[in-house]
Amino acid sequence: MKEKIKTITKKAGNELLSIVLTTLYFAVWFVLLMILKKLILIDYQIHFVGLSTALIGALIMAKVVLIMQYIEFEWIKKYPPIVDIAVRTFLYTLAALTVLLLEKAFEARDEYSGFWSALEHIFQHRDIYKIWASTLIIAVSLFWFNVFSILQQYLKHNEIKTLLFKTPLEEIHKFTTLRE
């Protein structure tokens, strides 16, 4: 019984760590997006606060992406990993764009006499450029998340962490020199 509790506790701890690290990853990207928006809007003397939105968005994105990692596309298994990376990045980005558009339409539904009318109007409104900018940053962040996910699957669990945080650069140079 104690072994079962230990196993469950370890799995829960690993899952929580995965959520925290993935949330931090997306938080960096989304906070960067908020900083860029703030810097652009300063020129127009518009005060912009979006830190809480970025952090909540990062948490939601992390959880959704981690859940979506369990979905396997059987037909992709025959192809190189870049196909999986491209397909997942495209699908996740499309989903994020859809959420952004629905969110803007929901916010503007009273102004345009209904949800569908507001959704249609978004494409003529100047806010569409903010949506495209956000979608672009989200797509880049998703692409690199998917790349690291494949690398983590290919390498052993701790090899990426060891390579990036513990291996001296001179050791990497020696390894690449030996391979030539």
Side-chain angles (χ1 to χ4, degrees), residues 104-105 107-122 124-127:
K104 286 290 182 188
E107 290 172 0
R109 71 188 184 286
D110 292 334
E111 185 179 339
Y112 296 104
S113 305
F115 178 79
W116 296 111
S117 178
L119 185 60
E120 185 180 312
H121 186 73
I122 288 172
Q124 287 101 31
H125 196 270
R126 67 177 188 230
D127 275 356

Side-chain angles (χ1 to χ4, degrees), residues 104-163:
K104 286 290 182 188
F106 186 75
E107 290 172 0
R109 71 188 184 286
D110 292 334
E111 185 179 339
Y112 296 104
S113 305
F115 178 79
W116 296 111
S117 178
L119 185 60
E120 185 180 312
H121 186 73
I122 288 172
F123 291 98
Q124 287 101 31
H125 196 270
R126 67 177 188 230
D127 275 356
I128 192 65
Y129 300 110
K130 292 178 194 173
I131 292 171
W132 293 134
S134 297
T135 303
L136 180 63
I137 294 290
I138 289 169
V140 171
S141 70
L142 287 167
F143 173 80
W144 286 109
F145 177 83
N146 289 324
V147 167
F148 282 117
S149 178
I150 291 291
L151 286 174
Q152 190 173 23
Q153 289 174 37
Y154 184 72
L155 300 171
K156 290 185 180 131
H157 181 68
N158 289 322
E159 283 187 26
I160 291 177
K161 185 170 62 174
T162 302
L163 176 69

Side-chain angles (χ1 to χ4, degrees), residues 162 166-178:
T162 302
K166 295 180 181 176
T167 307
L169 193 54
E170 65 186 4
E171 196 173 310
I172 294 170
H173 288 302
K174 286 179 190 175
F175 178 73
T176 54
T177 307
L178 290 174

Side-chain angles (χ1 to χ4, degrees), residues 4-20 63 66 70:
K4 192 172 186 176
I5 292 173
K6 274 186 176 180
T7 304
I8 292 171
T9 304
K10 185 174 181 170
K11 283 184 180 181
N14 288 341
E15 190 68 27
L16 185 61
L17 180 64
S18 179
I19 291 169
V20 168
K63 193 57 186 161
L66 288 172
Y70 289 108

